[in-house]
Amino acid sequence: MTAEQVAVLAGTPVDTKMGVDCLAKAGLTGLAFPLASDPRRQTAFQLSSQEEKTAAVRAVLEKARSRGCEKVFVYCNSLSGAVDFRPLAEEMDIPIVTPLDIYRELAPRYRRLGLIAANAQGLAGIERTLFAANPELDLLGACMLPAVLSIESGQPPEELVEQHHLPELAEWFRLCGMEALVLGCTHFPYFKEALAKQTSLPLIDPAEEMVRRIME
């Protein structure tokens, strides 16, 4: 175990564990702090008032700090879009890394991007971030909560990709001129390899750069 512990915040126990596993591959110790019990409750939480969401996240951060966490790894795109973590990081004097941090750097590199997210909250949050960083960006998006539910149920990636017609969706993005497809949900690396075998469109996953940043 490393001396430094990282709090992993995400929407459900499944993607929170994915975040812990992601850090473990880099030799970091993550402690799991899910904000909801399942994807539907996660969406309901994200639709609550800003005051309620901020208070709930602040309470989780205080709990994480009491357990010795010195940094925060937000392994959830839609949560990152629903809660502004920057003032919380300043208020609580704790480094917080989210997928949106990576998208801010990513946007200027592209002219046309496809985006799939878990829900419209995630889609809107990522869209705001990408457009703020690159107002000239052309963006096409889709919500994929059914795919998230399949991941949560443990469906094999190859079956999931076929059931939800992800190769056809990726091909539609490609035919529309998109340069790459952003996997705008931290559940989605689960099927990244299976989908990559069936599309020529580059797939963008922000997790690797997030890990690099949390290690700084």
Side-chain angles (χ1 to χ4, degrees):
M1 180 178 293
T2 60
E4 185 175 71
Q5 295 189 120
V6 180
V8 179
L9 272 63
T12 74
V14 172
D15 59 346
T16 308
K17 184 180 184 303
M18 289 178 176
V20 171
D21 292 343
C22 181
L23 291 177
K25 292 177 183 177
L28 300 175
T29 300
L31 296 184
F33 295 92
L35 270 293
S37 59
D38 61 62
R40 296 192 189 279
R41 287 182 174 83
Q42 174 190 1
T43 298
F45 167 76
Q46 291 168 6
L47 289 171
S48 62
S49 71
Q50 285 296 331
E51 292 77 11
E52 290 174 299
K53 288 183 289 192
T54 300
V57 171
R58 183 184 290 110
V60 170
L61 293 176
E62 289 171 350
K63 182 179 180 181
R65 174 171 281 167
S66 73
R67 294 183 59 183
C69 296
E70 302 173 15
K71 295 180 179 180
V72 180
F73 188 71
V74 182
Y75 197 73
C76 182
N77 286 264
S78 54
L79 177 62
S80 302
V83 177
D84 190 349
F85 282 91
R86 288 177 290 181
L88 282 168
E90 184 176 347
E91 171 192 329
M92 303 191 70
D93 192 26
I94 188 169
I96 301 178
V97 174
T98 82
L100 298 190
D101 298 324
I102 311 308
Y103 296 139
R104 289 185 186 96
E105 296 182 0
L106 177 75
R109 305 175 196 171
Y110 293 91
R111 294 179 296 107
R112 300 172 65 82
L113 279 177
L115 166 64
I116 53 175
N119 55 34
Q121 297 299 302
L123 201 66
I126 298 170
E127 179 185 67
R128 283 194 300 271
T129 300
L130 290 171
F131 282 155
N134 181 3
E136 302 301 317
L137 184 68
D138 288 334
L139 185 68
L140 292 181
C143 301
M144 299 294 298
L145 185 60
V148 174
L149 296 173
S150 293
I151 294 168
E152 293 262 335
S153 71
Q155 184 177 18
E158 293 76 14
E159 291 182 12
L160 184 157
V161 163
E162 295 301 327
Q163 178 181 328
H164 297 287
H165 303 285
L166 297 184
E168 292 88 343
L169 180 60
E171 179 63 7
W172 177 75
F173 281 120
R174 189 189 69 80
L175 290 173
C176 289
M178 301 301 104
E179 299 170 74
L181 177 59
V182 177
L183 302 182
C185 173
T186 39
H187 280 79
F188 292 167
Y190 178 83
F191 60 68
K192 180 181 178 182
E193 184 177 344
L195 178 57
K197 293 176 181 177
Q198 300 195 52
T199 181
S200 60
L201 198 62
L203 304 178
I204 298 173
D205 170 16
E208 184 175 325
E209 181 62 21
M210 287 174 63
V211 172
R212 185 195 66 77
R213 190 166 296 192
I214 206 74
M215 295 178 71
E216 292 178 347

